[in-house]
Amino acid sequence: MNNNKIEQQNTVATGNIGMVFKANKSLRFVGQFGTGFRNPNIDDVAKTFERDAFTIVLPINNVKPERIIQQELGVDILLKKKAWIELRAYNTQFQDAIATLPTQYLGQDSFTVNGRNLRILANTNIAEAQIQGANISFKYKINRFWSTKANFEVTKGRDLTNARPLSHIPPAFGSVYLNYNKPRYNILFYTLFNLEKPISEYGAATDNAIFAPPSGTPAWYTFNLKGRYNFTDRFRIQAAVENIMDLSYRYFASGFSASGINGIVSLNYTF
């Protein structure tokens, strides 16, 4: 912390290779293998700040660059030229992953700032970590005017060195859309949802467990409606009603609840 000079010089070779195999007009397989590299930025190595009322981040570690090896496999399926399904699964292996973790400074794990006792955190390298996930998306054209699409994704992350969850890993989430579209107007109904994330799956302090209920982040969903009407080629009105059920929910790792029911109206005129 007493250094007045920061210097980094790192060299690494990275690359990726992809494959697409088209079995027929309705079936396609895809794959990818790649390597990556992230050099610590100025915040990682030099920034001091209070994350919240209980912790402070200090630049006291010699942070090394993180490296990744990633594999991805997928399949795309076209059904009768109306439905399209995409499946993806991926695995990412980290070496020296950069994470904000509890640490010690001058033999202490906390110190007092303006009368408050703050726990010390620092950006640290994790020798080995892993992120795995899968995604499925679906599109279907019902008829000339109606269409629908849906998406669902799940991600898991693990600090393999310390046998605990990685931070910044969201709970499983998804969306479903139903759209009615004509040249003059459009109506879109959709729902967004998150599954629960138990407190046992929270990672380091950056997941803000102090703002979560004791059991973790609850599952939630919202119903939403949007519309557009074109009066002329130049003039149109757009409107939306979000969180129609006026449900109380909070995004993972957020210290604030999301908004309740709300409406939006906009007028657009092109000169």
Side-chain angles (χ1 to χ4, degrees), residues 11-131:
T11 303
V12 66
T14 63
N16 63 77
I17 184 171
M19 176 273 294
V20 177
F21 174 69
K22 198 169 184 179
N24 52 51
K25 292 182 179 181
S26 302
L27 183 63
R28 181 175 67 183
F29 298 93
V30 297
Q32 180 174 287
F33 175 87
T35 61
F37 168 87
R38 184 173 83 85
N39 214 38
N41 59 36
I42 192 67
D43 285 352
D44 293 328
V45 300
K47 189 175 182 180
T48 298
F49 63 99
E50 295 183 28
R51 287 200 65 258
D52 48 50
F54 309 98
T55 58
I56 186 169
V57 178
L58 301 180
I60 58 180
N61 290 333
N62 182 24
V63 184
K64 297 181 290 185
E66 64 180 14
R67 295 172 171 82
I68 66 167
I69 299 175
Q70 185 175 43
Q71 309 91 34
E72 181 178 322
L73 293 174
V75 58
D76 300 332
I77 305 169
L78 177 63
L79 302 174
K80 296 182 179 180
K81 298 182 179 181
K82 287 189 174 184
W84 181 258
I85 301 173
E86 292 184 0
L87 299 168
R88 295 290 185 273
Y90 61 87
N91 175 68
T92 304
Q93 298 289 140
F94 287 83
Q95 294 181 339
D96 294 322
I98 300 173
T100 306
L101 300 174
T103 190
Q104 291 189 344
Y105 177 61
L106 299 179
Q108 299 188 19
D109 60 7
S110 63
F111 64 82
T112 302
V113 177
N114 297 327
R116 293 176 296 125
N117 191 51
L118 302 180
R119 186 166 58 130
I120 299 173
L121 308 176
N123 288 311
T124 305
N125 288 111
I126 300 172
E128 291 186 45
Q130 183 181 49
I131 294 178

Side-chain angles (χ1 to χ4, degrees), residues 152-206:
F152 181 74
E153 183 166 341
V154 59
T155 307
K156 299 292 183 180
R158 193 76 179 164
D159 175 349
L160 301 178
T161 300
N162 300 298
R164 59 188 176 193
L166 275 181
S167 57
H168 301 295
I169 304 298
F173 65 92
S175 59
V176 180
Y177 293 82
L178 179 63
N179 187 54
Y180 182 77
N181 188 54
K182 298 194 77 173
R184 176 151 293 212
Y185 63 90
N186 168 267
I187 300 173
L188 174 66
F189 174 80
Y190 65 99
T191 179
L192 306 176
F193 62 90
N194 273 215
L195 301 189
E196 67 174 344
K197 185 178 178 78
I199 201 73
S200 61
E201 294 184 11
Y202 275 55
T206 48

